[in-house]
Amino acid sequence: MRDFLLYYGMFAVYYVIAINSLYFIIMMFSFKNILGILKSSVYSRFQKLSGSEHVPPISILVPAYNEELTIIENVRSLLALNYPRYEVIVVNDGSKDDTLQVLTREFKLEVSAHMPLQPLLQTSNIRGIYHNPAYPNLYLIDKENGGKADSLNAGINLSHYPLIASIDADSLLEKDALIRIAKVYMENPEETVAIGGDIRIANGCKIEDGVVSDIRLPDKFLPMMQSVEYLKAFLGGRIGWSAINGLIIVSGAFGVFRKDYVIKVGGYREGYPGEDMNIIIKLHKYMLDNKLPYRVAFCPDAVCWTQAPDSFRILGSQRRRWGRGNLKNMIEYGQHMVLRPKYKLFGMLTLPFNILFETLNPYFRITGLLALIGYTLLDMTNANVLLLYGLLNIIYGVLLGVGALLLEEIAFRRYPRIRDIVKMLFYTILMFFGYRQVGVIWRFLGHIEFLRNNNSWGTMTRKSWQAEGNKNISSLEARG
């Protein structure tokens, strides 16, 4: 037992060194990419495209299930985007609340008999398509419940444009978000198959007419934790992965895709809680199988504001779902793509990294804790050694968090007040005293749910945007 604990302890040390070293390398790519973007002044030229006839038209797909509290503000924000030509397709996925009624009443939508769906992808039964000529670029599909992936496929069948954008119904796009993503796409339209946007937490912000009019950090503990967590993941991670064409996910809250390639890979796959990861893996695989040049990009300045769970119950449900989706994708695609030269960097680095440091991370962390307990019980170490080991983990994590804050300050400065930076730094440190440990447990429980064949969406809480802005919160549980 003592020998086993000794060797496992050595493995745990090397594991921590390896994971943090790789995180630092990815963050260095993020810094290099951001500095290159700023040097070329990309973000000062996107506005010239807003009235250009050469900007590709986009179909925005909005899956909606029990979204009566947020859907009106969401649609208003989308109809007000600074973009030359686009359409908004809301897909009501058999909601049990008044999602359908509030949409038809607000925009005076009526059933149209002249808009058949193209049979491109199989979906659940369509009950009706609604439209109002007064809103020529707004459509509403009413269908039987089939899940988010099924709703996206139904939206693709109705869409008229070569690019599709997926937007969550509880999210709001900044007015220039779509034109910023179009700028990235137009740099290399032949090879760009998907582009992800930056997701930020809207809790605490002031919302007016579907627009974030005053950016503020959340007042509550959990949304604030998620704010710094998202900052680290998107700015510190996805910018770097995008720079080496190794992105494994484009957030389901906001992403743009070439419709033809989404159809070629069979569309979104139902039964995957991680449908956003699944579609990106399928695109990587298809392009590499067919030896086609491609890229999956990330646009850090195209911002989507979303509501973050503010209770442990709802956040735990979300993170368990993420754990289930990650594990299911790794089991299905890992065995065919990992360490196969045919799949280049994605198979040789991205997937092995995800399996070792994301999928298996809960097991190494939990067993590492058990090993530390064993060390103590067998008197193989002392408190000072354990304290030093813990501090090194925290220091590594804080440095990565500070790196993400630096990226934010260098490039975007959406939180210009000094007290906001101090608050984010404080929560970056606080994250390592309980929050991350609970997150590990949630991911492990998600794996248990996967083994029990639990593919449900879980429980989410929607809050009226007006209520969020006024701090007078009402909620509705959405289950799918």
Side-chain angles (χ1 to χ4, degrees):
M1 176 62 71
R2 294 176 68 90
D3 289 342
F4 172 79
L5 288 175
L6 178 62
Y7 286 120
Y8 191 83
M10 293 173 62
F11 166 78
V13 170
Y14 287 124
Y15 178 84
V16 169
I17 293 173
I19 186 173
N20 284 296
S21 298
L22 286 170
Y23 281 146
F24 271 110
I25 291 171
I26 294 299
M27 180 161 284
M28 290 304 102
F29 277 108
S30 295
F31 271 99
K32 180 181 178 181
N33 200 38
I34 280 292
L35 293 175
I37 289 172
L38 293 176
K39 187 176 180 180
S40 62
S41 301
V42 165
Y43 295 120
S44 65
R45 298 199 299 266
F46 77 93
Q47 292 178 343
K48 298 178 182 179
L49 297 174
S50 60
S52 172
E53 62 181 15
H54 301 294
V55 175
I58 296 179
S59 299
I60 302 175
L61 314 181
V62 187
Y65 180 81
N66 288 1
E67 305 284 359
E68 65 176 3
L69 292 179
T70 61
I71 193 63
I72 296 302
E73 293 296 322
N74 173 274
V75 173
R76 283 177 180 167
S77 76
L78 295 176
L79 293 177
L81 292 175
N82 180 22
Y83 202 80
R85 188 155 57 109
Y86 67 98
E87 62 184 358
V88 178
I89 302 174
V90 182
V91 186
N92 178 47
D93 189 36
S95 297
K96 295 182 174 66
D97 67 352
D98 290 333
T99 299
L100 180 66
Q101 290 74 14
V102 298
L103 279 168
T104 54
R105 183 171 59 249
E106 177 70 20
F107 299 102
K108 297 180 174 56
L109 302 172
E110 296 182 354
V111 175
S112 174
H114 306 290
M115 294 182 187
L117 276 74
Q118 306 172 70
L120 300 172
L121 301 168
Q122 186 175 357
T123 69
S124 298
N125 182 54
I126 305 299
R127 298 188 289 215
I129 301 175
Y130 294 74
H131 187 60
N132 177 2
Y135 298 92
N137 62 331
L138 174 62
Y139 302 91
L140 170 62
I141 300 174
D142 182 34
K143 59 183 284 292
E144 294 178 357
N145 182 260
K148 183 178 181 181
D150 189 72
S151 297
L152 289 169
N153 289 338
I156 291 172
N157 287 345
L158 180 63
S159 64
H160 304 95
Y161 297 139
L163 294 180
I164 58 170
S166 61
I167 309 291
D168 278 354
D170 64 341
S171 301
L172 303 173
L173 287 186
E174 290 189 350
K175 284 190 174 184
D176 295 324
L178 217 54
I179 200 72
R180 292 177 187 272
I181 273 194
K183 173 68 175 68
V184 174
Y185 173 77
M186 293 174 69
E187 291 171 357
N188 192 349
E190 294 299 320
E191 296 184 7
T192 304
V193 297
I195 310 170
D198 186 22
I199 310 301
R200 304 233 177 182
I201 302 302
N203 303 52
C205 295
K206 185 177 181 181
I207 313 295
E208 294 180 332
D209 297 323
V211 177
V212 177
S213 59
D214 188 14
I215 297 175
R216 290 289 184 267
L217 290 172
D219 295 325
K220 294 186 177 181
F221 173 77
L222 286 179
M224 188 60 221
M225 282 294 190
Q226 292 167 81
S227 289
V228 295
E229 186 180 30
Y230 277 41
L231 202 67
K232 179 180 174 182
F234 283 87
L235 300 188
R238 296 194 187 181
I239 295 175
W241 282 111
S242 173
I244 59 176
N245 200 27
L247 271 180
I248 197 172
I249 187 171
V250 165
S251 174
F254 180 34
V256 172
F257 305 82
R258 273 186 55 170
K259 183 170 71 172
D260 55 348
Y261 282 117
V262 172
I263 293 171
K264 285 178 181 178
V265 301
Y268 288 86
R269 182 169 176 181
E270 191 50 51
Y272 268 80
E275 84 291 329
D276 46 3
M277 177 182 287
N278 180 257
I279 191 68
I280 295 300
I281 294 177
K282 290 199 298 185
L283 287 170
H284 277 290
K285 188 175 188 301
Y286 178 87
M287 302 305 286
L288 291 166
D289 280 340
N290 291 277
K291 299 181 180 179
L292 298 172
Y294 76 102
R295 68 167 180 163
V296 177
F298 176 67
C299 182
D301 210 34
V303 175
C304 174
W305 295 89
T306 191
Q307 290 188 11
D310 59 6
S311 74
F312 278 99
R313 182 173 68 91
I314 305 302
L315 181 59
S317 176
Q318 179 196 69
R319 299 308 167 90
R320 293 196 304 274
R321 183 179 76 245
W322 290 1
R324 296 198 308 272
N326 182 286
L327 180 59
K328 189 166 187 175
N329 279 301
M330 291 306 101
I331 289 176
E332 176 157 342
Y333 291 97
Q335 58 184 320
H336 304 296
M337 299 178 69
V338 169
L339 298 181
R340 293 187 61 182
K342 173 182 178 180
Y343 295 110
K344 300 184 179 179
L345 182 139
F346 189 76
M348 301 299 289
L349 177 62
T350 300
L351 284 175
F353 177 91
N354 190 81
I355 292 171
L356 285 174
F357 302 124
E358 299 295 337
T359 309
L360 297 179
N361 185 271
Y363 302 96
F364 292 134
R365 289 190 179 277
I366 292 172
T367 55
L369 176 61
L370 294 176
L372 290 177
I373 295 173
Y375 288 168
T376 303
L377 293 177
L378 295 176
D379 196 28
M380 294 175 63
T381 187
N382 57 58
N384 291 332
V385 174
L386 296 180
L387 181 61
L388 178 61
Y389 182 76
L391 284 175
L392 287 175
N393 276 282
I394 294 172
I395 290 171
Y396 267 124
V398 170
L399 287 176
L400 290 168
V402 170
L405 291 178
L406 284 175
L407 285 168
E408 162 66 20
E409 282 298 292
I410 291 171
F412 309 113
R413 294 186 61 84
R414 276 185 167 78
Y415 305 99
R417 299 180 302 176
I418 296 297
R419 64 175 178 270
D420 287 340
I421 303 301
V422 173
K423 184 176 180 179
M424 287 191 289
L425 181 59
F426 172 74
Y427 275 87
T428 297
I429 299 171
L430 187 62
M431 179 181 295
F432 294 90
F433 297 91
Y435 180 81
R436 287 195 66 184
Q437 290 75 15
V438 172
V440 168
I441 294 172
W442 281 333
R443 276 189 286 174
F444 176 74
L445 293 176
H447 292 181
I448 299 298
E449 291 178 352
F450 168 79
L451 296 175
R452 294 177 175 175
N453 295 317
N454 180 354
N455 288 320
S456 66
W457 187 254
T459 302
M460 267 302 296
T461 297
R462 303 304 188 210
K463 299 176 180 179
S464 167
W465 286 113
Q466 291 90 344
E468 177 64 32
N470 296 329
K471 305 301 180 184
N472 180 19
I473 305 298
S474 60
S475 65
L476 175 72
E477 288 188 356
R479 299 176 185 272

